[in-house]
Structures are given as C-alpha cells and as structure tokens.
Amino acid sequence: MLGSPAPELLNINPLVAVLDEVLSPAECAAIIAAGQGRMQRATVIDARGAGVETDGRTNSHCELPSAEFPQVLPMLMKIGMAPVSYTHLTLPTIYSV
C-alpha cells in the first residue's frame, strides 16, 4: 500500500505480520460480522483427499457465499487475498491486538 507504514514482522515461520491502517474500522467490522457464527475448525487434506482435523492445525476459518456477501470481496482483494473461487470467499485469519 502506497503511503502505508511497513508491516511489523512478528514471526518468520509461520509468517505473521501486523499491517496497520490497511482496512478502516468499518471494513474490519464488516468482515468480522460476516464471519460471525460461521467459523469452522480448519482441516488438512489426507492421502485420500478428505479434509481431516489434526493436532498440528488448530486454527479456524470461514468460507462465505460471495453472492450473500458481495461487499467482502473488495476488502479481501485490498489486503492481497485474491479468492480461490468467486463462489466462496475464505476469510483470512485476523487477530485483534
């Protein structure tokens, strides 16, 4: 982002950084509201191609139907998260600090 402060690097592996002032408070609130009640335990793909929960991956994620939440797509693209599919948007892991 032109004119934005440099990210604050918190960790290399996994990569964790703080990006200040990329989304407005209203945009953050909209993303959080869209994901309310939709968070699910993240899975990994096993040898059979099925998603399974593991002790090594404990985060949660959320997929939104893009037709139901069209306002979220421009915000995700603003933070560099191009959707894998335009029918379902996956929210990034966002931590409040």
Side-chain angles (χ1 to χ4, degrees):
M1 315 283 131
L2 189 60
S4 296
E8 177 187 353
L9 185 62
L10 300 180
N11 196 63
I12 296 289
N13 190 8
L15 180 60
V16 178
V18 175
L19 302 169
D20 288 324
E21 302 176 28
V22 175
L23 296 174
S24 71
E27 289 171 318
C28 291
I31 291 173
I32 291 167
Q36 265 330 109
R38 296 174 180 265
M39 298 299 287
Q40 297 179 347
R41 173 83 183 267
T43 58
V44 297
I45 305 300
D46 69 7
R48 296 170 291 154
V52 295
E53 291 182 8
T54 67
D55 291 337
R57 185 166 188 192
T58 59
N59 65 303
S60 295
H61 74 111
C62 175
E63 290 188 4
L64 301 173
S66 58
E68 194 175 331
F69 297 94
Q71 75 280 13
V72 174
L73 177 59
M75 291 180 234
L76 294 180
M77 294 182 81
K78 188 175 178 180
I79 60 174
M81 301 223 26
V84 174
S85 162
Y86 284 94
T87 58
H88 285 85
L89 306 172
T90 300
L91 293 183
T93 302
I94 299 175
Y95 298 96
S96 176
V97 292

Coordinates of all heavy atoms in Angstrom, one line a residue:
M1 N 0.8 -1.2 0.0 CA 0.0 0.0 0.0 C 0.9 1.2 0.0 O 1.7 1.4 0.9 CB -0.9 0.1 1.2 CG -1.6 -1.2 1.6 SD -3.1 -1.6 0.6 CE -2.7 -3.3 0.3
L2 N 0.7 2.1 -1.0 CA 1.5 3.3 -1.1 C 1.2 4.2 0.1 O 0.0 4.5 0.4 CB 1.2 4.0 -2.4 CG 2.1 5.1 -2.8 CD1 3.5 4.7 -2.9 CD2 1.6 5.7 -4.1
G3 N 2.2 4.6 0.8 CA 2.0 5.5 1.9 C 1.7 4.9 3.2 O 1.6 5.5 4.2
S4 N 1.5 3.6 3.2 CA 1.2 2.8 4.4 C 2.5 2.5 5.1 O 3.5 2.3 4.5 CB 0.4 1.5 4.1 OG -0.8 1.8 3.6
P5 N 2.4 2.4 6.5 CA 3.6 2.0 7.2 C 4.0 0.6 6.8 O 3.2 -0.2 6.4 CB 3.3 2.1 8.6 CG 1.8 2.2 8.7 CD 1.3 2.7 7.3
A6 N 5.3 0.3 6.9 CA 5.8 -1.0 6.7 C 5.2 -2.0 7.6 O 5.0 -1.7 8.8 CB 7.4 -1.1 6.8
P7 N 5.0 -3.3 7.2 CA 4.5 -4.3 8.1 C 5.4 -4.5 9.3 O 6.6 -4.5 9.1 CB 4.3 -5.5 7.3 CG 4.4 -5.1 5.9 CD 5.2 -3.8 5.9
E8 N 4.9 -4.8 10.4 CA 5.7 -5.2 11.6 C 5.8 -6.7 11.6 O 4.8 -7.4 11.8 CB 5.0 -4.7 12.9 CG 5.8 -5.1 14.1 CD 5.0 -4.8 15.4 OE1 4.0 -4.1 15.4 OE2 5.5 -5.2 16.5
L9 N 6.9 -7.2 11.4 CA 7.1 -8.7 11.3 C 7.2 -9.2 12.7 O 8.0 -8.8 13.5 CB 8.5 -9.0 10.5 CG 8.8 -10.5 10.3 CD1 7.7 -11.1 9.4 CD2 10.1 -10.6 9.7
L10 N 6.3 -10.2 13.0 CA 6.3 -10.8 14.3 C 6.9 -12.2 14.3 O 7.4 -12.6 15.3 CB 4.8 -10.9 14.8 CG 4.0 -9.6 14.9 CD1 2.6 -9.9 15.4 CD2 4.7 -8.6 15.9
N11 N 6.8 -12.9 13.2 CA 7.4 -14.2 13.1 C 7.7 -14.6 11.7 O 7.0 -14.2 10.8 CB 6.4 -15.2 13.7 CG 7.0 -16.6 14.0 OD1 7.9 -16.6 14.9 ND2 6.6 -17.6 13.4
I12 N 8.8 -15.4 11.5 CA 9.1 -15.8 10.1 C 8.4 -17.0 9.6 O 7.9 -17.1 8.6 CB 10.7 -16.0 10.0 CG1 11.4 -14.7 10.3 CG2 11.0 -16.6 8.7 CD1 11.3 -13.7 9.2
N13 N 8.4 -18.1 10.5 CA 7.8 -19.3 10.1 C 6.9 -19.9 11.2 O 7.5 -20.3 12.2 CB 8.8 -20.3 9.7 CG 8.2 -21.6 9.1 OD1 7.1 -21.6 8.8 ND2 9.1 -22.6 8.8
P14 N 5.6 -19.8 11.2 CA 4.8 -19.2 10.0 C 4.9 -17.7 10.0 O 5.2 -17.1 11.0 CB 3.4 -19.7 10.3 CG 3.3 -19.8 11.8 CD 4.7 -20.2 12.2
L15 N 4.7 -17.2 8.8 CA 4.8 -15.7 8.6 C 3.6 -15.1 9.3 O 2.5 -15.4 9.0 CB 4.8 -15.4 7.1 CG 4.9 -13.9 6.8 CD1 6.2 -13.3 7.3 CD2 4.8 -13.7 5.3
V16 N 4.0 -14.2 10.2 CA 3.0 -13.4 10.9 C 3.4 -11.9 10.9 O 4.6 -11.7 11.3 CB 2.8 -13.9 12.4 CG1 1.8 -13.0 13.1 CG2 2.4 -15.3 12.4
A17 N 2.6 -11.1 10.4 CA 2.9 -9.6 10.4 C 1.7 -8.8 10.7 O 0.6 -9.2 10.5 CB 3.5 -9.3 9.0
V18 N 2.0 -7.6 11.2 CA 0.9 -6.6 11.5 C 0.9 -5.6 10.4 O 2.0 -5.0 10.1 CB 1.2 -6.0 12.9 CG1 0.1 -4.9 13.1 CG2 1.1 -7.0 14.0
L19 N -0.2 -5.4 9.8 CA -0.4 -4.3 8.8 C -1.3 -3.3 9.4 O -2.5 -3.6 9.5 CB -0.9 -4.9 7.5 CG -0.1 -6.0 6.9 CD1 -0.9 -6.7 5.8 CD2 1.2 -5.5 6.3
D20 N -0.8 -2.1 9.7 CA -1.7 -1.1 10.3 C -2.3 -0.3 9.2 O -1.7 -0.1 8.1 CB -0.8 -0.1 11.1 CG -0.4 -0.8 12.5 OD1 -1.2 -1.6 13.0 OD2 0.7 -0.5 12.9
E21 N -3.5 0.2 9.4 CA -4.2 1.1 8.6 C -4.4 0.7 7.1 O -4.4 1.5 6.2 CB -3.5 2.5 8.6 CG -3.4 3.1 10.0 CD -2.6 4.4 10.1 OE1 -2.6 5.1 9.1 OE2 -2.0 4.6 11.1
V22 N -4.7 -0.6 6.9 CA -4.9 -1.1 5.6 C -6.5 -1.1 5.4 O -6.9 -0.7 4.3 CB -4.4 -2.5 5.4 CG1 -4.8 -3.1 4.1 CG2 -2.9 -2.5 5.5
L23 N -7.2 -1.6 6.4 CA -8.7 -1.5 6.3 C -9.1 -0.6 7.3 O -8.6 -0.4 8.4 CB -9.2 -2.9 6.6 CG -8.9 -4.1 5.6 CD1 -9.5 -5.4 6.1 CD2 -9.5 -3.7 4.3
S24 N -10.2 0.1 7.0 CA -10.8 1.0 8.0 C -11.5 0.2 9.1 O -11.8 -1.0 9.0 CB -11.9 1.9 7.3 OG -13.0 1.1 7.0
P25 N -11.8 0.9 10.3 CA -12.5 0.2 11.3 C -13.9 -0.4 10.8 O -14.3 -1.5 11.2 CB -12.7 1.3 12.4 CG -11.5 2.2 12.2 CD -11.3 2.2 10.7
A26 N -14.5 0.4 9.9 CA -15.8 -0.1 9.4 C -15.6 -1.3 8.5 O -16.5 -2.3 8.6 CB -16.5 1.0 8.6
E27 N -14.6 -1.4 7.7 CA -14.3 -2.6 6.9 C -14.0 -3.8 7.8 O -14.5 -4.9 7.5 CB -13.2 -2.3 6.0 CG -13.5 -1.3 4.8 CD -12.3 -0.9 4.0 OE1 -11.3 -0.6 4.6 OE2 -12.5 -0.8 2.8
C28 N -13.2 -3.6 8.8 CA -12.9 -4.7 9.8 C -14.2 -5.2 10.4 O -14.4 -6.4 10.5 CB -11.9 -4.2 10.8 SG -10.2 -3.9 10.2
A29 N -15.0 -4.3 10.9 CA -16.3 -4.7 11.5 C -17.2 -5.4 10.5 O -17.8 -6.4 10.9 CB -17.0 -3.4 12.0
A30 N -17.2 -5.1 9.2 CA -18.0 -5.8 8.3 C -17.5 -7.2 8.0 O -18.3 -8.1 7.9 CB -18.0 -5.0 6.9
I31 N -16.1 -7.4 8.0 CA -15.6 -8.7 7.8 C -15.9 -9.6 9.0 O -16.3 -10.7 8.9 CB -14.1 -8.6 7.5 CG1 -13.8 -8.0 6.1 CG2 -13.4 -10.0 7.6 CD1 -12.4 -7.8 5.8
I32 N -15.7 -9.0 10.2 CA -16.0 -9.7 11.4 C -17.4 -10.1 11.5 O -17.8 -11.3 11.8 CB -15.5 -8.9 12.7 CG1 -14.0 -8.8 12.7 CG2 -16.0 -9.6 14.0 CD1 -13.5 -7.8 13.7
A33 N -18.3 -9.2 11.2 CA -19.8 -9.5 11.2 C -20.1 -10.6 10.2 O -20.9 -11.5 10.5 CB -20.6 -8.2 10.9
A34 N -19.5 -10.6 9.0 CA -19.8 -11.6 8.0 C -19.4 -13.0 8.5 O -20.1 -14.0 8.2 CB -19.1 -11.2 6.7
G35 N -18.4 -13.1 9.3 CA -17.9 -14.4 9.7 C -18.5 -14.8 11.0 O -18.3 -16.0 11.4
Q36 N -19.3 -14.0 11.7 CA -19.9 -14.4 13.0 C -20.7 -15.6 12.8 O -21.5 -15.7 11.9 CB -20.8 -13.3 13.5 CG -20.4 -12.3 14.5 CD -19.3 -12.6 15.4 OE1 -18.2 -12.1 15.3 NE2 -19.6 -13.3 16.4
G37 N -20.4 -16.6 13.7 CA -21.2 -17.8 13.7 C -20.9 -18.8 12.5 O -21.5 -19.8 12.4
R38 N -19.9 -18.5 11.7 CA -19.6 -19.3 10.5 C -18.2 -19.9 10.6 O -17.8 -20.7 9.7 CB -19.6 -18.5 9.3 CG -21.0 -18.0 9.0 CD -21.0 -17.1 7.7 NE -22.3 -16.5 7.4 CZ -23.1 -17.1 6.5 NH1 -22.7 -18.1 5.8 NH2 -24.3 -16.5 6.3
M39 N -17.5 -19.6 11.7 CA -16.1 -20.1 11.8 C -16.1 -21.7 12.0 O -17.0 -22.2 12.8 CB -15.4 -19.5 13.0 CG -15.2 -18.0 12.9 SD -14.2 -17.5 11.4 CE -12.6 -18.0 11.9
Q40 N -15.2 -22.4 11.4 CA -15.1 -23.8 11.5 C -13.6 -24.2 11.7 O -12.8 -23.5 11.2 CB -15.6 -24.5 10.2 CG -17.1 -24.3 10.0 CD -17.5 -24.9 8.7 OE1 -16.7 -25.4 7.9 NE2 -18.8 -25.0 8.5
R41 N -13.4 -25.3 12.4 CA -12.1 -25.8 12.6 C -11.4 -26.1 11.2 O -12.0 -26.7 10.4 CB -12.1 -27.0 13.4 CG -10.8 -27.8 13.6 CD -10.0 -27.2 14.7 NE -8.7 -27.9 14.8 CZ -8.5 -28.9 15.6 NH1 -9.4 -29.4 16.4 NH2 -7.3 -29.5 15.7
A42 N -10.2 -25.6 11.0 CA -9.5 -25.8 9.8 C -9.1 -27.3 9.7 O -8.8 -27.9 10.7 CB -8.3 -24.9 9.7
T43 N -9.0 -27.8 8.5 CA -8.6 -29.2 8.3 C -7.4 -29.2 7.4 O -7.0 -28.2 6.7 CB -9.7 -30.0 7.7 OG1 -10.1 -29.4 6.5 CG2 -10.9 -30.0 8.6
V44 N -6.8 -30.4 7.3 CA -5.8 -30.7 6.3 C -6.3 -31.8 5.4 O -7.1 -32.6 5.8 CB -4.4 -31.0 7.0 CG1 -3.8 -29.9 7.8 CG2 -4.5 -32.3 7.8
I45 N -5.7 -31.9 4.2 CA -6.1 -32.9 3.3 C -5.3 -34.2 3.5 O -4.1 -34.1 3.5 CB -6.0 -32.4 1.8 CG1 -6.7 -31.1 1.6 CG2 -6.4 -33.5 0.8 CD1 -8.2 -31.2 1.9
D46 N -6.0 -35.3 3.7 CA -5.3 -36.5 3.9 C -5.0 -37.2 2.6 O -5.3 -36.7 1.5 CB -6.0 -37.5 4.9 CG -7.3 -38.0 4.3 OD1 -7.6 -37.8 3.1 OD2 -8.1 -38.7 5.1
A47 N -4.4 -38.4 2.7 CA -3.9 -39.1 1.4 C -5.1 -39.5 0.5 O -4.9 -39.6 -0.7 CB -3.2 -40.4 1.8
R48 N -6.3 -39.6 1.1 CA -7.5 -39.9 0.3 C -8.2 -38.7 -0.3 O -9.1 -38.8 -1.0 CB -8.5 -40.7 1.1 CG -8.0 -42.0 1.6 CD -8.9 -42.7 2.6 NE -8.8 -41.8 3.8 CZ -9.7 -41.7 4.7 NH1 -10.9 -42.3 4.7 NH2 -9.5 -40.9 5.8
G49 N -7.6 -37.5 0.1 CA -8.2 -36.2 -0.4 C -9.3 -35.7 0.4 O -10.0 -34.8 0.0
A50 N -9.5 -36.2 1.6 CA -10.5 -35.8 2.6 C -9.9 -34.8 3.6 O -8.8 -34.9 4.0 CB -11.1 -37.0 3.3
G51 N -10.7 -33.8 4.0 CA -10.3 -32.9 5.0 C -10.5 -33.5 6.3 O -11.6 -34.0 6.7
V52 N -9.4 -33.5 7.1 CA -9.4 -34.1 8.5 C -8.8 -33.1 9.5 O -7.9 -32.3 9.1 CB -8.7 -35.4 8.5 CG1 -9.3 -36.5 7.7 CG2 -7.2 -35.3 8.1
E53 N -9.3 -33.1 10.7 CA -8.8 -32.3 11.8 C -7.5 -33.0 12.3 O -7.4 -34.2 12.4 CB -9.8 -32.1 12.9 CG -10.9 -31.3 12.5 CD -11.9 -31.1 13.7 OE1 -11.6 -31.5 14.8 OE2 -13.0 -30.5 13.4
T54 N -6.5 -32.2 12.6 CA -5.3 -32.7 13.2 C -4.8 -31.8 14.4 O -5.3 -30.7 14.5 CB -4.1 -32.7 12.2 OG1 -3.7 -31.4 11.9 CG2 -4.5 -33.4 10.9
D55 N -4.0 -32.4 15.2 CA -3.5 -31.7 16.4 C -2.5 -30.6 15.9 O -2.3 -29.6 16.6 CB -2.8 -32.6 17.3 CG -3.7 -33.5 18.1 OD1 -4.9 -33.2 18.1 OD2 -3.3 -34.6 18.5
G56 N -1.9 -30.7 14.7 CA -1.0 -29.8 14.2 C -1.6 -28.5 13.6 O -0.9 -27.5 13.4
R57 N -2.8 -28.5 13.3 CA -3.5 -27.4 12.8 C -4.8 -27.1 13.6 O -5.7 -27.8 13.5 CB -3.9 -27.6 11.3 CG -4.5 -26.3 10.7 CD -4.5 -26.4 9.2 NE -4.9 -25.1 8.7 CZ -5.3 -24.8 7.5 NH1 -5.3 -25.8 6.6 NH2 -5.6 -23.6 7.1
T58 N -4.7 -26.1 14.4 CA -5.8 -25.8 15.4 C -6.5 -24.5 15.1 O -7.4 -24.2 15.8 CB -5.2 -25.7 16.8 OG1 -4.2 -24.7 16.8 CG2 -4.6 -27.0 17.2
N59 N -6.2 -23.8 14.0 CA -6.9 -22.6 13.7 C -8.3 -22.8 13.1 O -8.7 -23.9 12.8 CB -6.1 -21.7 12.7 CG -6.0 -22.3 11.4 OD1 -5.5 -23.5 11.2 ND2 -6.4 -21.6 10.4
S60 N -9.1 -21.8 13.1 CA -10.4 -21.8 12.5 C -10.4 -21.0 11.2 O -9.6 -20.1 11.0 CB -11.4 -21.3 13.4 OG -11.5 -22.2 14.6
H61 N -11.4 -21.2 10.4 CA -11.5 -20.4 9.2 C -13.0 -20.3 8.8 O -13.8 -20.9 9.5 CB -10.7 -21.0 8.0 CG -11.4 -22.2 7.4 ND1 -11.9 -22.2 6.2 CD2 -11.6 -23.4 7.9 CE1 -12.4 -23.4 5.9 NE2 -12.2 -24.2 7.0
C62 N -13.3 -19.5 7.8 CA -14.6 -19.2 7.4 C -14.7 -19.1 5.9 O -13.9 -18.3 5.3 CB -15.1 -17.9 8.1 SG -16.8 -17.4 7.7
E63 N -15.7 -19.7 5.3 CA -16.0 -19.5 3.9 C -17.3 -18.9 3.8 O -18.3 -19.3 4.5 CB -15.9 -20.8 3.2 CG -14.5 -21.4 3.0 CD -14.5 -22.6 2.1 OE1 -15.5 -23.0 1.5 OE2 -13.4 -23.1 2.0
L64 N -17.4 -17.8 3.0 CA -18.7 -17.1 2.8 C -19.2 -17.2 1.4 O -18.4 -17.1 0.4 CB -18.5 -15.6 3.1 CG -17.9 -15.2 4.4 CD1 -17.6 -13.7 4.5 CD2 -19.0 -15.6 5.5
P65 N -20.5 -17.5 1.2 CA -21.0 -17.4 -0.2 C -20.9 -16.0 -0.7 O -21.4 -15.1 -0.1 CB -22.5 -17.8 0.0 CG -22.6 -18.3 1.4 CD -21.5 -17.8 2.2
S66 N -20.2 -15.8 -1.8 CA -19.9 -14.5 -2.3 C -21.1 -13.8 -2.7 O -21.2 -12.5 -2.6 CB -18.9 -14.5 -3.5 OG -19.4 -15.3 -4.5
A67 N -22.2 -14.5 -3.2 CA -23.4 -13.8 -3.6 C -24.1 -13.2 -2.4 O -24.8 -12.2 -2.5 CB -24.3 -14.8 -4.3
E68 N -23.9 -13.8 -1.2 CA -24.5 -13.3 0.0 C -23.7 -12.2 0.7 O -24.3 -11.4 1.4 CB -24.6 -14.5 1.0 CG -25.5 -14.3 2.2 CD -25.6 -15.5 3.1 OE1 -25.5 -16.6 2.6 OE2 -25.8 -15.3 4.3
F69 N -22.4 -12.1 0.4 CA -21.5 -11.1 1.0 C -20.7 -10.4 -0.1 O -19.5 -10.4 0.0 CB -20.6 -11.7 2.0 CG -21.4 -12.3 3.2 CD1 -21.7 -13.6 3.2 CD2 -21.8 -11.5 4.3 CE1 -22.4 -14.2 4.3 CE2 -22.5 -12.0 5.3 CZ -22.8 -13.4 5.3
P70 N -21.3 -9.7 -1.1 CA -20.5 -9.1 -2.2 C -19.6 -8.0 -1.7 O -18.6 -7.8 -2.3 CB -21.6 -8.6 -3.1 CG -22.8 -8.4 -2.3 CD -22.7 -9.5 -1.2
Q71 N -19.9 -7.4 -0.6 CA -19.1 -6.3 0.0 C -17.7 -6.8 0.5 O -16.8 -6.0 0.6 CB -19.8 -5.5 1.0 CG -19.9 -6.2 2.4 CD -21.0 -7.3 2.5 OE1 -21.6 -7.7 1.5 NE2 -21.3 -7.7 3.7
V72 N -17.6 -8.1 0.8 CA -16.3 -8.6 1.4 C -15.2 -8.8 0.3 O -14.1 -8.5 0.6 CB -16.6 -9.9 2.1 CG1 -15.3 -10.6 2.6 CG2 -17.6 -9.7 3.3
L73 N -15.6 -9.1 -0.9 CA -14.6 -9.4 -1.9 C -13.6 -8.2 -2.1 O -12.4 -8.4 -2.1 CB -15.2 -9.8 -3.3 CG -14.3 -10.0 -4.4 CD1 -13.3 -11.1 -4.1 CD2 -15.0 -10.3 -5.7
P74 N -14.1 -7.0 -2.3 CA -13.1 -5.9 -2.5 C -12.2 -5.7 -1.3 O -11.0 -5.3 -1.4 CB -14.0 -4.6 -2.7 CG -15.4 -5.1 -3.0 CD -15.5 -6.5 -2.4
M75 N -12.7 -5.9 -0.1 CA -11.9 -5.8 1.1 C -10.8 -6.9 1.1 O -9.6 -6.6 1.5 CB -12.7 -5.9 2.4 CG -13.7 -4.8 2.6 SD -14.6 -5.0 4.1 CE -16.3 -4.8 3.4
L76 N -11.1 -8.1 0.8 CA -10.1 -9.2 0.7 C -9.1 -8.9 -0.3 O -7.9 -9.1 -0.1 CB -10.8 -10.5 0.5 CG -11.7 -11.0 1.6 CD1 -12.3 -12.4 1.2 CD2 -11.0 -11.1 2.9
M77 N -9.5 -8.4 -1.5 CA -8.5 -8.0 -2.5 C -7.6 -6.9 -2.1 O -6.5 -6.8 -2.4 CB -9.2 -7.8 -3.8 CG -9.9 -9.0 -4.3 SD -10.8 -8.8 -5.9 CE -9.4 -9.0 -7.0
K78 N -8.2 -6.0 -1.3 CA -7.4 -4.8 -0.8 C -6.2 -5.3 0.1 O -5.2 -4.6 0.1 CB -8.3 -3.9 0.0 CG -7.8 -2.6 0.5 CD -8.9 -1.8 1.1 CE -8.3 -0.5 1.6 NZ -9.4 0.3 2.3
I79 N -6.4 -6.4 0.8 CA -5.3 -6.9 1.7 C -4.5 -8.0 1.0 O -3.8 -8.7 1.6 CB -5.8 -7.3 3.0 CG1 -6.9 -8.5 2.9 CG2 -6.4 -6.2 3.8 CD1 -7.3 -9.0 4.3
G80 N -4.8 -8.2 -0.4 CA -4.0 -9.1 -1.1 C -4.4 -10.5 -1.1 O -3.7 -11.4 -1.4
M81 N -5.7 -10.7 -0.8 CA -6.2 -12.1 -0.7 C -7.2 -12.3 -1.9 O -8.4 -12.2 -1.8 CB -7.0 -12.3 0.6 CG -6.1 -12.1 1.8 SD -6.2 -13.3 3.1 CE -6.8 -14.8 2.5
A82 N -6.6 -12.7 -3.0 CA -7.5 -13.0 -4.2 C -8.2 -14.3 -3.9 O -7.5 -15.3 -3.4 CB -6.6 -13.1 -5.4
P83 N -9.5 -14.4 -4.1 CA -10.2 -15.6 -3.8 C -9.8 -16.8 -4.7 O -9.5 -16.6 -5.9 CB -11.7 -15.2 -4.0 CG -11.6 -14.1 -5.0 CD -10.3 -13.4 -4.7
V84 N -9.8 -18.0 -4.2 CA -9.6 -19.2 -5.0 C -10.8 -19.4 -5.9 O -10.7 -19.8 -7.0 CB -9.3 -20.4 -4.0 CG1 -9.2 -21.7 -4.8 CG2 -8.1 -20.2 -3.2
S85 N -12.0 -19.1 -5.3 CA -13.2 -19.3 -6.1 C -14.1 -18.0 -5.8 O -14.1 -17.5 -4.7 CB -13.9 -20.5 -5.6 OG -15.3 -20.5 -5.9
Y86 N -14.7 -17.6 -6.8 CA -15.6 -16.4 -6.6 C -16.9 -16.8 -6.1 O -17.8 -16.0 -5.8 CB -15.7 -15.6 -7.9 CG -14.5 -14.8 -8.2 CD1 -13.4 -15.3 -9.0 CD2 -14.3 -13.6 -7.6 CE1 -12.3 -14.6 -9.2 CE2 -13.1 -12.8 -7.8 CZ -12.1 -13.3 -8.6 OH -11.0 -12.6 -8.9
T87 N -17.2 -18.1 -5.9 CA -18.5 -18.5 -5.3 C -18.4 -18.6 -3.8 O -19.4 -18.5 -3.1 CB -18.9 -19.9 -5.9 OG1 -17.9 -20.9 -5.6 CG2 -19.2 -19.8 -7.4
H88 N -17.2 -18.8 -3.3 CA -17.0 -18.9 -1.8 C -15.7 -18.1 -1.5 O -14.7 -18.3 -2.1 CB -16.8 -20.3 -1.3 CG -18.1 -21.1 -1.3 ND1 -18.6 -21.7 -2.4 CD2 -19.0 -21.2 -0.3 CE1 -19.8 -22.2 -2.1 NE2 -20.1 -22.0 -0.8
L89 N -15.8 -17.2 -0.6 CA -14.7 -16.4 -0.1 C -14.2 -16.9 1.2 O -15.0 -17.1 2.1 CB -15.2 -14.9 0.1 CG -15.9 -14.3 -1.1 CD1 -16.4 -12.9 -0.8 CD2 -14.9 -14.2 -2.3
T90 N -12.9 -17.1 1.3 CA -12.4 -17.6 2.6 C -11.8 -16.4 3.3 O -10.9 -15.7 2.8 CB -11.3 -18.6 2.3 OG1 -11.8 -19.7 1.6 CG2 -10.7 -19.1 3.7
L91 N -12.3 -16.2 4.5 CA -11.8 -15.0 5.3 C -10.4 -15.4 5.8 O -10.1 -16.5 6.2 CB -12.7 -14.8 6.5 CG -14.1 -14.2 6.2 CD1 -14.8 -13.9 7.5 CD2 -14.0 -13.0 5.3
P92 N -9.5 -14.4 5.8 CA -8.1 -14.6 6.4 C -8.2 -14.7 7.9 O -9.2 -14.3 8.5 CB -7.4 -13.3 6.0 CG -8.5 -12.3 5.9 CD -9.7 -13.0 5.4
T93 N -7.2 -15.2 8.5 CA -7.1 -15.3 9.9 C -6.7 -13.9 10.4 O -5.7 -13.4 10.0 CB -6.0 -16.3 10.4 OG1 -6.4 -17.6 9.9 CG2 -6.0 -16.3 11.9
I94 N -7.6 -13.2 11.1 CA -7.3 -11.9 11.6 C -7.4 -11.9 13.1 O -8.3 -12.4 13.7 CB -8.4 -10.9 11.0 CG1 -8.4 -10.9 9.5 CG2 -8.2 -9.5 11.6 CD1 -9.5 -10.1 8.9
Y95 N -6.3 -11.4 13.7 CA -6.2 -11.3 15.1 C -6.4 -9.8 15.6 O -5.8 -8.9 14.9 CB -4.9 -11.8 15.6 CG -4.7 -13.3 15.3 CD1 -4.0 -13.6 14.2 CD2 -5.2 -14.2 16.1 CE1 -3.8 -15.0 13.9 CE2 -5.0 -15.6 15.8 CZ -4.3 -15.9 14.7 OH -4.1 -17.3 14.4
S96 N -7.1 -9.6 16.6 CA -7.2 -8.3 17.2 C -6.1 -8.1 18.3 O -6.0 -8.9 19.1 CB -8.6 -8.1 17.8 OG -8.7 -6.8 18.4
V97 N -5.3 -7.1 18.1 CA -4.2 -6.9 19.1 C -4.4 -5.6 19.8 O -5.1 -4.7 19.4 CB -2.8 -6.9 18.4 CG1 -2.5 -8.2 17.9 CG2 -2.8 -5.8 17.3

